[in-house]
Amino acid sequence: MEQRSNHARHAAEYRRRHRRQQHEEAHAAGHEELPTSSHRDVFGGEPELIQTQPALDAVIKRLREAQTFAYDTEFIGEMSYRPHVCLIQVATDDYVGLIDPLAGMDLTSFWELMCDPSLFKIAHAGEQDLEHVWRAVNQPPTNVFDTQVAAGFIGLSYPASLAKLVGEFLGIKLTKGFTFTDWTLRPLSASQLKYAADDVRFLPTVTRAIIEQLKELNRFDWALQECERRCVLAEPGFNADLDWGRVRGSGSLDGRGVNVLKQLITWREACAETADVPARTFLKDEVIIDLVRARPKTMDKLTTIRHLPRPVVEHHGKDILELVARGLEMPPLKLDDDSNHEPGLTEKFRYDSVWALVQTLCAAQSLDPAMVTSRQETIDVYRGLVKGRDLAGHRLLNGWRDEAVGKALRKIATGAFDMPTQWVADGLRIEKNAK
């Protein structure tokens, strides 16, 4: 198997050039943007760049003593099979540190810090950042408070960017940063250091403001439940039985097609790991779906698949044909009878009404509906309840989501639901206060 197909190499090189161009622009900016903040509750000093083991040990001791710290990472994920962590940012009320993973330090003690339940960690949109903890020590990070998640429990839009939350709570406008710079290059410029530091320096103050509102609304426990759930879900890995549904276009496949799809994405994952490129860079979802639908049996047929790269055909053509044949020989996977169901006009009206009611329930409880569920998930659960299916393990019928909308959905499905008048009053109060 070749180390890297031509099409994957070209895509990676293009991204690398783009990142390096932004890195050069960051250095061209000079030192005109030093990391400062005028807010009285936000540390405005320059960050410390950590590049030695003694300095790292001192930072870890400092974070332990603080008991609470903000966490973020800068990583590059589109040029390799596993993301490369290039910078780790931490912050307390009186300190910002930038840990350099490329300096050859042993970071194990830091990753273990992220797993210590006695310490309160803060992140923003941290799902991918938490994956690094799993990869490093094969343990879930614990007691991590995600400000993006928590904001969805206090009547704010989900998902909100860090800049939006900083503007909302602190009245500070963050400048545009270097979101696509090459973080593998050294030295880092002053503007890059500012951008990295600003990702964590505001989080302790923003978190206190969010927690205050969570407790006023009695939503703090719900937010903690969801944050903890996402720590567990951040575990990286590939599972064809679970991941096939994330392939774009998979929803229209029949049971036999899903069997072929699972064979192909398992093969794609192994090839991508060997080539050290992301799976979708090695072979796009659209091409995988075209292979499933065409079900080629010969090399001639394989060459007619649109956008299937020639190097893939040359090096893996026989493997692809064998995988397609193997998937077709398997007993068809039994799918939900409603997976490809097209609702009639009456059904569509009913589903729209159920979704509108769920949205109303969420708004009345200061929850962004996008934080709770989606239209499709709501309809799937409602339809399953009506048909008497066993949905006991479904996330919408467990934990805080069950309290928020699940119990109401059960009543809606049986026609026994009445809108609680207090929820309506709360919703009107929230709307009035927003004006």
Side-chain angles (χ1 to χ4, degrees), residues 21 31 57 68 90 118 204 206 255 300 327 361 387 407 416 421 426:
Q21 179 182 354
H31 294 267
D57 295 340
T68 298
V90 294
S118 70
V206 168
D300 288 341
L361 291 175
K387 294 189 175 184
K407 291 179 179 178
T421 56
D426 288 346

Side-chain angles (χ1 to χ4, degrees), residues 326-371:
R326 186 184 305 166
L328 293 174
E329 290 170 359
M330 299 170 63
L333 184 68
K334 183 174 176 55
L335 301 175
D336 184 346
D337 294 338
D338 296 324
S339 58
N340 293 317
H341 174 67
E342 183 68 28
L345 294 177
T346 301
E347 286 179 298
K348 186 177 184 305
F349 177 80
R350 186 184 307 123
Y351 298 155
D352 287 346
S353 300
V354 170
W355 174 232
L357 184 54
V358 167
Q359 289 178 297
T360 302
L361 291 175
C362 290
Q365 299 176 85
S366 299
L367 302 171
D368 188 312
M371 178 71 253

Side-chain angles (χ1 to χ4, degrees), residues 16-30 178 180-183 185 187-189 191-192:
R16 185 174 291 108
R17 287 196 302 270
H18 188 182
R19 282 189 177 275
R20 293 196 175 188
Q21 179 182 354
Q22 196 173 85
H23 178 85
E24 292 169 0
E25 292 172 357
H27 278 270
F178 297 93
F180 207 68
T181 193
D182 191 341
W183 292 100
L185 299 180
L188 296 172
S189 72
S191 52
Q192 286 174 306

Side-chain angles (χ1 to χ4, degrees), residues 140-207:
T142 58
N143 203 11
V144 180
F145 185 86
D146 193 312
T147 52
Q148 186 181 74
V149 171
F153 288 86
I154 58 173
L156 298 181
S157 176
Y158 174 85
S161 67
L162 176 61
K164 291 288 186 182
L165 293 186
V166 170
E168 177 79 17
F169 290 106
L170 306 182
I172 297 173
K173 183 177 180 180
L174 295 184
T175 57
K176 185 177 180 181
F178 297 93
T179 57
F180 207 68
T181 193
D182 191 341
W183 292 100
T184 66
L185 299 180
R186 297 294 184 269
L188 296 172
S189 72
S191 52
Q192 286 174 306
L193 295 175
K194 178 189 186 305
Y195 169 78
D198 282 354
D199 276 348
V200 288
R201 73 165 69 247
F202 302 99
L203 286 178
T205 306
V206 168
T207 295

Side-chain angles (χ1 to χ4, degrees), residues 258-278:
V258 171
N259 284 338
V260 175
L261 175 62
K262 288 163 69 173
Q263 294 289 323
L264 290 174
I265 62 173
T266 301
W267 160 81
R268 178 178 69 172
E269 200 74 18
C271 291
E273 183 173 11
T274 300
D276 193 25
V277 294

Side-chain angles (χ1 to χ4, degrees), residues 9-219:
R9 183 185 298 111
H10 291 159
E13 287 298 331
Y14 173 80
R15 293 183 178 91
R16 185 174 291 108
R17 287 196 302 270
H18 188 182
R19 282 189 177 275
R20 293 196 175 188
Q21 179 182 354
Q22 196 173 85
H23 178 85
E24 292 169 0
E25 292 172 357
H27 278 270
H31 294 267
E32 57 191 69
E33 288 187 294
L34 292 177
T36 58
S37 171
S38 59
H39 196 281
R40 67 180 185 277
D41 296 325
V42 177
F43 175 71
E46 295 186 33
E48 179 186 12
L49 185 59
I50 311 301
Q51 295 181 304
T52 68
Q53 199 69 44
L56 176 62
D57 295 340
V59 168
I60 291 174
K61 182 176 183 294
R62 182 171 195 153
L63 297 179
R64 280 199 177 279
E65 292 173 349
Q67 292 292 298
T68 298
F69 66 91
Y71 158 77
D72 190 32
T73 65
E74 301 297 343
F75 62 93
I76 297 179
E78 78 279 359
M79 294 191 295
S80 58
Y81 182 71
R82 294 181 179 85
H84 290 161
V85 183
C86 304
L87 199 66
I88 301 171
Q89 302 104 289
V90 294
T92 64
D93 282 328
D94 58 2
Y95 175 79
V96 175
L98 306 179
I99 302 169
D100 186 359
L102 307 186
M105 299 175 291
D106 182 358
L107 300 174
T108 303
S109 56
F110 174 79
W111 299 124
E112 290 174 345
L113 200 70
M114 292 294 299
C115 302
D116 188 338
S118 70
L119 302 179
F120 187 74
K121 281 80 67 175
I122 306 165
H124 179 84
E127 286 94 336
Q128 289 181 294
D129 302 293
L130 298 180
E131 288 182 12
H132 308 320
V133 182
W134 272 102
R135 289 192 179 94
V137 292
N138 197 31
Q139 295 181 57
T142 58
N143 203 11
V144 180
F145 185 86
D146 193 312
T147 52
Q148 186 181 74
V149 171
F153 288 86
I154 58 173
L156 298 181
S157 176
Y158 174 85
S161 67
L162 176 61
K164 291 288 186 182
L165 293 186
V166 170
E168 177 79 17
F169 290 106
L170 306 182
I172 297 173
K173 183 177 180 180
L174 295 184
T175 57
K176 185 177 180 181
F178 297 93
T179 57
F180 207 68
T181 193
D182 191 341
W183 292 100
T184 66
L185 299 180
R186 297 294 184 269
L188 296 172
S189 72
S191 52
Q192 286 174 306
L193 295 175
K194 178 189 186 305
Y195 169 78
D198 282 354
D199 276 348
V200 288
R201 73 165 69 247
F202 302 99
L203 286 178
T205 306
V206 168
T207 295
R208 283 192 288 272
I210 291 177
I211 289 178
E212 182 179 353
Q213 292 193 30
L214 284 171
K215 290 182 176 179
E216 287 178 359
L217 295 167
N218 197 28
R219 294 288 176 263

